[in-house]
Every structure is written in structure tokens, then in C-alpha cells.
Amino acid sequence: QVQLVESGGGFAQAGGSLRLSCAASGRGFTRYAMGWFRQAPGKEREFVAGISQSGVNTRYADSMKGRFTISRDNIKNTMYLQMNSLKPEDTAVYYCGATALLWASVTSNSYSIWGQGTQVTVSS
């Protein structure tokens, strides 16, 4: 079974950029479609972006489309989230997840494996 570890979070000013990474260890990374979710204090976990096993197919929440880009490198066993034009409302803990489904679902309960999360804080 694969294990996931997020990194790359931190502080950014509004309009700035961050690049998050999700490194997988163990066996079977290429068997999973992957997704990024985020959760702000007092709010439900929110779908951000998803990517297929091969990395060819991607999907985004409407509020992230055009600003965020999801990708994966199946040689390095790593998934990425490039975050541009950051806004204060992007402040949250960001999690990567792996799903046994053949597509990246927008529902968090479809993901069986999660990383520990990485904090992103955007100031105005």
C-alpha cells in the first residue's frame, strides 16, 4: 500500500504562488487516481483538483480553475499542485489523497489513503 506525504505549504501574499508536492512511498502509486482537497477552520473538506492514473485527465473545482494546476510524475511517484494568483480565501490545510476509483472523485469519502496535510496561509 502506498503512503503519502505533502510538502511545500507556507506563507504567501495575495497574488503570489506556491507549489505543493505529494510524495508517495511504498508500492502501487500508478494504480491510483489522485486528488487534492483543502479544509479551512470550521469548514468542510473541499475538493480542489483531481488527476487520473496516467496524468492525462484532470478536473478542478470552479473556484480553482485557471489558477491551480494539478500534475503527477509517475517516475518520481509524486503529485503536484501549482497554485497561482493566490487569494486569502485559499488559506487552508491542503491534503492529497489516493482513490481506487478509475476517476478522481470530488467526494472525500471516495479516497482511501491520505497524507497528513500541509498548511497554506495567504495574506492580503
Side-chain angles (χ1 to χ4, degrees), residues 23-72:
S25 61
R27 302 174 64 183
F29 178 69
T30 59
R31 297 181 180 181
Y32 297 96
M34 303 288 293
W36 286 99
F37 289 75
R38 69 185 186 186
Q39 188 166 22
K43 297 183 179 180
E44 297 180 344
R45 188 166 295 191
E46 176 188 24
F47 174 78
V48 175
I51 191 165
S52 63
Q53 294 171 323
S54 67
V56 171
N57 300 310
T58 60
R59 65 192 303 180
Y60 300 89
D62 287 343
S63 62
M64 289 70 154
K65 190 175 297 184
R67 299 190 299 122
F68 294 1
T69 302
I70 188 172
S71 62
R72 67 190 293 168

Side-chain angles (χ1 to χ4, degrees), residues 22 38 60 80 113:
C22 175
R38 69 185 186 186
Y60 300 89
Y80 305 95
I113 304 172

Side-chain angles (χ1 to χ4, degrees), residues 74-86:
N74 286 344
I75 302 301
K76 296 182 178 180
N77 288 346
T78 304
M79 180 179 64
Y80 305 95
L81 184 68
Q82 179 66 47
M83 309 166 65
N84 297 327
S85 301
L86 285 165

Side-chain angles (χ1 to χ4, degrees), residues 1-6 22-29 32 34 77 96 98 113-116:
Q1 182 173 286
V2 70
Q3 294 82 46
L4 306 175
V5 178
E6 301 95 335
C22 175
S25 61
R27 302 174 64 183
F29 178 69
Y32 297 96
M34 303 288 293
N77 288 346
C96 64
I113 304 172
W114 294 94
Q116 83 290 343

